[in-house]
Amino acid sequence: MSTHEEHHSPSHFFILGVLLFLTVVTVGVAYVDMGNFNIIVAMFVASIKALLVAVFFMHLKFEDGITRFFASVPILLLAIMIGGVFIDNPLRVDPRAPEQITQEKMKYKKEVEELKAREHGEAHH
Amino acid sequence: MTAHSTHEVSPGDPPYVHHMDSKTAYEAAKFGMWLFLATELLLFGVMFCSFAVYRAMYLDIFHVASQHLSKPIGAFNTAVLLFSSYMAAAAVDDAKKGNNQGVTKKLWGTILCGLVFLLVKSYEYYDKWQHELFPLHPNFSKNFAHYKSFFGLYFCMSGIHALHVIIGMFVLWFYGVRKSSKGRFSSRYFTPVELGALYWHLVDLIWIYLFPLLYLVG
Amino acid sequence: MSESHNSKNYLNHETTLWSWLTTVDHKRIALLYLFSLVTFFFIGGVAALMIRTELAYPGTQIMSADSYNRWFTMHGVIMIFLFIVPGIPAVMGNFLLPLMIGAKDVAFPRLNLMSYYIYVIGAVMAVMSLSAPVDTGWTFYAPHSIQTQSAVILMTAAAFVLGFSSILTGLNFIVTIHKLRAPGMYWMRLPIFVWTIYATSVIQVVATPVVGMTLLLLLFERAFGVGIFDATKGGDPVLFEHLFWFYSHPVVYIMVLPAFGIVGEIIPVFSRKPLFGYKIMVISSVGIAAVGFLVWAHHMFVSGISDTSAAVFSILTFGVAIPTAIKVFNWISTMYRGSITFSTPMLYAMAFVFLFMIAGTTGGYLAVLAVDVYFHDTYFVVAHFHYTIQGGAVIGLVAALHHWFPKITGKMYHEGTANLGWLLVMFGFNLTFLPQFVLGFHGMPRRYYDYLPQFADLHFISTIGAYINALGYSFAFLNLLYAWIFSRKLAGDNPYNAIGLEWMTSSPPIHENFEVTPVVDFEPYSYGTKAH
C-alpha cells in the first residue's frame, strides 16, 4: 500500500478506517453483557457499516433515485417477512395443559445447564 | 447470430451494442447489476429471517452454541473482507482513470483477500468437523435439537456466503483482471470493473451482518 | 411497411435451425418460449385429465392413492412452474415489450436467451424427476417433503433453476422499460400492458429469490439434516410455509397481472373507446403488486399460526381485493357505450372479466378467517384458484395469442373455428369448476383420490367438463397452428385499426422492429379523438 494509492482514493481509505474501527466496537461490545440490548447495538453498528459500504464504496450516493429505490426494496421486504413471522411464532399459545408446559420448560432449562456445563468442562480454545 | 461479434473495438472504447448508445448501455448494465444485488439480498434474507426467529425463541441454546465460533477469527475475517472491499473500490477508481496496471494489481489484491478469507473459513469448518458439529458428520444428529438448528443455519449461511466469495473472485478475474492486463479499460469504458466490484461489495455487506449474528450471539 | 409476407421480416431474417436456437431477437425468443410453454400446458392438461378420470366415480378407477398424489403434484408443478409463471411475460412480454415502447430489443438480449435456456434446463430436471415422481403437492410442505421417498431434491433443484429464469427475465424487462423507451414515450403514455409487465417484473425480481432459497434450504434439510424445518431437529415446519408463501402469494400476481394488461389492451380496441381511468389502472396495477406482499399467511390460517397473525393477515387480504375490483369496474366502463365488435380476442377478454369476477369474489370469501377455517383444503379453494389462474391468466394468454396473431405471423386465423374453441372452453371450464364450489361447500376435501358417495354426481359432471375444456383448448391452439402454417390470408399491418406502436410497424415486424425509431406524440387508447 504505497502513498501513491492513498493519494488516489483518500476518502475510500478513510471509510475503511471507520469500518475497521466500528468492527472493533462491535467485538468489544459483545464482551459486555447488556442483555437484550446487545443484539440491538450489534445490528445498529452493522447497519452503519453496511450503509458506509453501500454509499461510499458502491457509490450509491451518486446513483439516481430509481437505483436507490430498488436497493432499499429488499430491506423493506425483509422487514415485512421478519415482521410477519414474528407476529406468529412468539405469539403462539401452547394449547396443552399448564403442568405439561412447565414440565417441558424445566426440562429445557436443565438441558441448557447441562450443555453449558459440558462446554465449560471441555478444553478452552 | 450474436450482434456483437462482428464489430472491432479498440482498447478503451466501449463495446458495440446494436440497440443502445454506449452511455445508455453503461447505465442499463449498472442498473441491472443493482437489481441483481437486490435479489441476492433477498436470497440471504431468507436465512437471516430463519436465524432471527430461532434465535429469539432459543436464545440460551444459541448463546451456548455460538461459543464454539471463535470471535477473534471471525473479526479477522471481517477485517480481511473490509480491506478487500476497499481494494475493489480503489480498483474502480483506477479503471475510471484508465490505469489498467493499477486495476490489475488491486483486483489481484481483492482476489487474494478472498482466498485468505476462504482458507480461514476452511480451518473453521475443519474445526467444527472435529467437534462433530458439521451437518455432514455421521454423529451430527446426536447433538441437542436446537444446537442442530444453530449449526445448520451457520453452515447454510456461511456456506452460501463462501460460494458467493468464490463466484466473486471468479468474476473479478474473468471480467476484470483478464481484461485490464490487456489494457482494456479507460475513462470511456470501465463497466466490468465497476460491476464486478459492486458484486464483491455485496459479498462484504452480507458478511458485515453475518459476523455479529453468528459469532456474537447474546 | 410492406404487406407481403414474403418481404423481409424477423421470421425469414435467417432461417437455419441454428439461427433460431442461438437467436438474441426478443421476438424469436418469445416463440421459443411459446413452443415450450404450450407443450407443457398440454402435458399438465393430460395430468389434469388423469386426475378427473380417477375422480369420475367413487372408488378406484385407474390409479392407486399413492399414484394420485403423484399425478396432482405433477399437474401442479408443470402448470405452475413450467407454464403459467413464465407464461404471459415470457411469450407476450418478450414479443411485445420492445415493440410497444419503440425499442429495437430488450436491454440484455443475450441474457434473454440465457433465461430461455435456464428455463429449458429446469424443465429437463423437472421431467427427470418423473423417475420417482414427487408426491408432496406443488407446495412441498415439511415434514413430508423431508421424509418421502421420491425425487424431491431433483424437483426442488429444478424449481430453483426455473426461478433464475424468472428473475433474469424480470430484471431484463425492468431495465428495458426504464432505459429503452422511444422519444416521447413518457411513463404515463405507456400501454397498460407495459405497466402490468413492469409490476410483474418487479415481483419476479424480488419475490423469486425467497422461494429459491427456501427450496434450497429444504434440499439441505433432506440431504444434510440441518434442522431448520424438521421438528425432530428443533426446526419449525410452519416456518417453511411462511417462507414458501412469501413468494407463492405474490406469484399469483405474476400470473394474473399481465393478463390484466392484455385485457386492458383488447377491450379498448374492440369498444373503440379509450381505456377508462388509465391513471387509476396504472396505480392499481402497482398497488396490487405491492399489497400482494402483505397477505401470504392467508394460506396458513389452519396451520397453527398465532391468532394475532391470522387476524392481521385476514384484514390485509381484504385490502388486495380493492385495486382488483377497481380494474373490473374500469374494464366494464370502457365497454359501456362503446362500439363493440365481438371478435375472438374480445370474446376471450369479456370471458376474462366475467370469470375473474367469480374468482375475486370467492377469494373474498376465503379472506374471512372464520370462513376459511371451514373452506381450507376443500374443493372451494380448488375452484377459486382455477378461476383465477385458468379463468384469469390462461384465458388472458389465449386472448393475447389471438389478438396479436396477425402481428406475430402476418396472417389471420379462421374466426369461426376460433370462436368454437372459445365456446367449448367457456362451457367446459365452467362445467368443470362451478360444481367444485358446491363440492367444497359440502365439505369435499382436496387432494383426496376417493370420496363419499354423496359427492359422486358433481364429480362426474366436473369430469365431463374437464374433457370439454380440453377439447376447447385443443381447438383453439390447433386452429392457430393450422392458420400459421397453412393460411394464405394476409393480415396487414393494422387489421383492427388499433392504436399502439406495435401496430405501426409491419406484420410480421422486421428484425429491428422499426425502420426508423418512432417518436411518440399520441396518448394511448385515444380512440374516438383522432381519425381512428
Side-chain angles (χ1 to χ4, degrees):
Chain A
M1 245 200 323
S2 62
T3 44
H4 178 82
E5 285 162 356
E6 281 164 66
H7 246 288
H8 280 281
S9 42
S11 59
H12 283 156
F13 195 60
F14 175 69
I15 298 294
L16 174 66
V18 175
L19 287 167
L20 288 170
F21 170 70
L22 287 174
T23 308
V24 172
V25 167
T26 317
V27 177
V29 163
Y31 285 104
V32 177
D33 182 14
M34 293 185 283
N36 283 330
F37 206 56
N38 270 102
I39 185 71
I40 298 175
V41 170
M43 285 296 105
F44 180 71
V45 175
S47 300
I48 306 244
K49 288 162 76 179
L51 222 63
L52 287 171
V53 170
V55 170
F56 292 106
F57 282 175
M58 297 169 89
H59 300 121
L60 204 50
K61 189 176 178 355
F62 306 108
E63 295 297 337
D64 59 4
I66 294 291
T67 306
R68 288 202 284 229
F69 171 74
F70 279 104
S72 24
V73 162
I75 301 166
L76 177 66
L77 238 45
L78 281 175
I80 293 171
M81 187 195 297
I82 294 176
V85 173
F86 268 75
I87 59 173
D88 173 28
N89 285 47
L91 290 173
R92 289 186 200 155
V93 174
D94 200 323
R96 294 174 297 177
E99 312 88 53
Q100 228 184 329
I101 299 176
T102 341
Q103 225 180 19
E104 204 173 272
K105 277 217 175 93
M106 298 303 310
K107 187 167 150 237
Y108 179 78
K109 256 210 172 85
K110 252 209 319 216
E111 274 162 345
V112 177
E113 296 302 326
E114 241 178 70
L115 259 174
K116 283 203 181 123
R118 195 165 46 131
E119 300 296 315
H120 241 279
E122 278 181 7
H124 292 278
H125 294 287
Chain B
M1 179 76 167
T2 55
H4 311 250
S5 52
T6 52
H7 297 265
E8 296 288 321
V9 182
S10 11
D13 284 337
Y16 173 76
V17 178
H18 82 288
H19 61 304
M20 294 187 278
D21 63 78
S22 59
K23 178 168 176 289
T24 311
Y26 164 68
E27 288 172 2
K30 198 156 47 140
F31 183 39
M33 178 51 90
W34 272 105
L35 286 172
F36 184 69
L37 296 183
T39 70
E40 296 278 46
L41 271 175
L42 284 154
L43 194 90
F44 280 95
V46 167
M47 294 188 283
F48 280 120
C49 177
S50 308
F51 187 86
V53 72
Y54 286 138
R55 184 192 170 280
M57 313 258 291
Y58 310 117
L59 184 55
D60 302 336
I61 304 270
F62 268 39
H63 178 67
V64 176
S66 167
Q67 310 289 62
H68 278 278
L69 301 176
S70 159
K71 295 196 206 345
I73 292 182
F76 172 75
N77 256 357
T78 309
V80 167
L81 277 187
L82 288 173
F83 185 72
S84 74
S85 230
Y86 160 74
M87 287 285 234
V92 175
D93 284 346
D94 272 356
K96 286 180 180 171
K97 297 192 186 101
N99 180 358
N100 281 282
Q101 281 180 318
V103 173
T104 308
K105 269 194 297 188
K106 292 183 174 99
L107 285 184
W108 274 127
T110 312
I111 294 171
L112 188 66
C113 288
L115 188 63
V116 170
F117 177 89
L118 290 173
L119 287 171
V120 172
K121 205 96 210 82
S122 309
Y123 165 72
E124 286 184 287
Y125 279 13
Y126 173 72
D127 180 71
K128 297 294 159 297
W129 175 276
Q130 299 291 87
H131 285 86
E132 302 181 349
L133 293 167
F134 198 93
L136 285 171
H137 195 284
N139 285 341
F140 179 72
S141 51
K142 295 203 181 109
N143 280 297
F144 181 66
H146 301 111
Y147 242 47
K148 285 183 279 216
S149 308
F150 177 86
F151 284 102
L153 276 167
Y154 166 74
F155 281 105
C156 285
M157 291 166 91
S158 62
I160 305 256
H161 175 260
L163 179 66
H164 281 77
V165 171
I166 296 171
I167 294 173
M169 286 163 67
F170 175 78
V171 165
L172 287 175
W173 170 74
F174 191 83
Y175 289 103
V177 171
R178 271 190 349 140
K179 295 189 180 212
S180 61
S181 55
K182 293 191 197 125
R184 184 74 181 85
F185 304 117
S186 73
S187 57
R188 299 184 305 284
Y189 176 62
F190 47 85
T191 315
V193 183
E194 186 167 10
L195 263 53
L198 279 176
Y199 187 81
W200 188 261
H201 291 308
L202 180 86
V203 167
D204 182 32
L205 258 176
I206 303 288
W207 184 260
I208 285 174
Y209 280 99
L210 275 187
F211 170 58
L213 271 181
L214 294 171
Y215 289 75
L216 309 175
V217 176
Chain C
M1 287 195 289
S2 170
E3 300 225 349
S4 161
H5 76 105
N6 281 320
S7 61
K8 286 291 269 174
N9 58 58
Y10 80 99
L11 288 169
N12 57 32
H13 176 78
E14 274 173 273
T15 53
T16 62
L17 178 64
W18 185 250
S19 73
W20 275 91
L21 294 177
T22 58
T23 183
V24 291
D25 178 352
H26 65 99
K27 302 181 288 300
R28 287 192 167 196
I29 292 177
L31 294 180
L32 288 176
Y33 270 115
L34 178 64
F35 172 71
S36 312
L37 260 56
V38 171
T39 304
F40 282 111
F41 175 58
F42 278 96
I43 295 177
V46 165
L49 289 178
M50 293 294 286
I51 294 170
R52 283 308 330 159
T53 307
E54 171 57 39
L55 294 173
Y57 305 101
T60 310
Q61 313 318 318
I62 54 170
M63 58 176 78
S64 65
D66 187 60
S67 286
Y68 183 79
N69 292 348
R70 296 170 205 270
W71 277 106
F72 73 67
T73 303
M74 281 302 118
H75 171 70
V77 168
I78 291 175
M79 285 305 204
I80 291 178
F81 291 120
L82 297 181
F83 173 61
I84 203 64
V85 169
I88 296 172
V91 179
M92 302 313 303
N94 255 314
F95 194 91
L96 290 174
L97 181 60
L99 286 168
M100 281 184 165
I101 64 174
K104 289 197 182 125
D105 207 316
V106 292
F108 309 117
R110 288 177 300 181
L111 191 70
N112 204 7
L113 183 67
M114 194 166 97
S115 282
Y116 174 67
Y117 279 113
I118 292 175
Y119 164 84
V120 169
I121 292 171
V124 166
M125 288 167 75
V127 167
M128 275 167 62
S129 78
L130 290 171
S131 56
V134 178
D135 64 345
T136 59
W138 79 277
T139 46
F140 302 115
Y141 275 11
H144 183 63
S145 55
I146 300 172
Q147 297 158 358
T148 180
Q149 296 302 312
S150 57
V152 172
I153 290 184
L154 191 50
M155 184 58 94
T156 49
F160 183 80
V161 170
L162 290 164
F164 254 106
S165 173
S166 190
I167 290 172
L168 293 175
T169 299
L171 191 155
N172 219 336
F173 287 174
I174 293 175
V175 180
T176 304
I177 296 172
H178 272 277
K179 296 288 179 194
L180 295 182
R181 283 167 289 128
M185 183 53 90
Y186 309 130
W187 282 94
M188 293 314 266
R189 280 186 178 166
L190 288 170
I192 193 71
F193 178 66
V194 176
W195 272 109
T196 57
I197 286 290
Y198 183 70
T200 304
S201 300
V202 174
I203 303 176
Q204 279 176 284
V205 166
V206 298
T208 316
V210 174
V211 79
M213 192 67 234
T214 306
L215 292 176
L216 207 62
L217 287 178
L218 182 70
L219 202 155
F220 292 156
E221 185 78 71
R222 241 183 110 83
F224 310 130
V226 288
I228 301 173
F229 304 130
D230 189 343
T232 61
K233 300 201 175 82
D236 182 7
V238 180
L239 180 65
F240 176 83
E241 295 185 34
H242 272 293
L243 300 172
F244 178 82
W245 287 111
F246 189 84
Y247 162 79
S248 300
H249 187 80
V251 83
V252 311
Y253 298 113
I254 293 176
M255 299 174 198
V256 89
L257 267 171
F260 288 166
I262 284 174
V263 167
E265 294 299 327
I266 294 176
I267 291 184
V269 173
F270 296 105
S271 312
R272 306 311 301 177
K273 265 188 75 197
L275 181 67
F276 187 89
Y278 170 82
K279 268 206 183 80
I280 288 285
M281 292 299 245
V282 169
I283 295 172
S284 63
S285 303
V286 175
I288 289 171
V291 180
F293 276 100
L294 304 177
V295 301
W296 75 89
H298 67 224
H299 299 268
M300 299 160 58
F301 283 152
V302 299
S303 296
I305 60 176
S306 71
D307 290 341
T308 312
S309 62
V312 167
F313 280 102
S314 173
I315 296 172
L316 287 170
T317 305
F318 278 104
V320 81
I322 298 172
T324 318
I326 288 174
K327 284 181 168 297
V328 173
F329 291 136
N330 283 17
W331 292 319
I332 296 175
S333 303
T334 306
M335 290 191 284
Y336 180 66
R337 293 232 178 146
S339 172
I340 312 279
T341 306
F342 293 100
S343 63
T344 312
M346 187 59 167
L347 288 175
Y348 275 105
M350 287 167 63
F352 176 97
V353 177
F354 172 68
L355 296 173
F356 202 79
M357 203 183 54
I358 296 177
T361 314
T362 53
Y365 288 27
L366 294 168
V368 180
L369 189 49
V371 174
D372 185 78
V373 168
Y374 179 73
F375 278 147
H376 181 82
D377 267 351
T378 67
Y379 264 73
F380 193 90
V381 178
V382 175
H384 160 75
F385 67 68
H386 279 94
Y387 267 87
T388 54
I389 303 183
Q390 209 197 122
V394 179
I395 294 291
L397 176 63
V398 180
L401 289 174
H402 283 87
H403 184 61
W404 281 285
F405 184 86
K407 180 56 57 181
I408 296 171
T409 64
K411 303 178 180 179
M412 276 308 280
Y413 50 85
H414 186 257
E415 190 146 20
T417 320
N419 291 350
L420 176 62
W422 173 85
L423 197 62
L424 287 170
V425 166
M426 277 299 276
F427 184 63
F429 173 78
N430 283 296
L431 194 66
T432 311
F433 291 107
L434 273 174
Q436 292 192 7
F437 281 124
V438 183
L439 279 172
F441 232 95
H442 290 291
M444 167 77 205
R446 63 184 285 204
R447 294 177 167 173
Y448 271 41
Y449 105 114
D450 193 11
Y451 48 81
L452 297 171
Q454 67 243 41
F455 298 127
D457 291 338
L458 289 175
H459 267 296
F460 183 74
I461 294 172
S462 181
T463 300
I464 300 292
Y467 276 93
I468 299 174
N469 200 15
L471 192 67
Y473 283 117
S474 305
F475 260 91
F477 280 98
L478 286 173
N479 184 40
L480 289 180
L481 185 64
Y482 178 88
W484 195 345
I485 301 174
F486 298 111
S487 170
R488 291 265 169 269
K489 226 187 321 175
L490 294 181
D493 297 345
N494 194 353
Y496 320 121
N497 231 342
I499 299 174
L501 286 178
E502 79 269 28
W503 299 111
M504 288 163 62
T505 188
S506 55
S507 298
I510 55 175
H511 176 70
E512 307 83 28
N513 293 346
F514 301 96
E515 305 260 351
V516 172
T517 304
V519 176
V520 181
D521 58 359
F522 54 88
E523 302 303 314
Y525 319 111
S526 42
Y527 298 100
T529 59
K530 280 188 170 192
H532 279 279

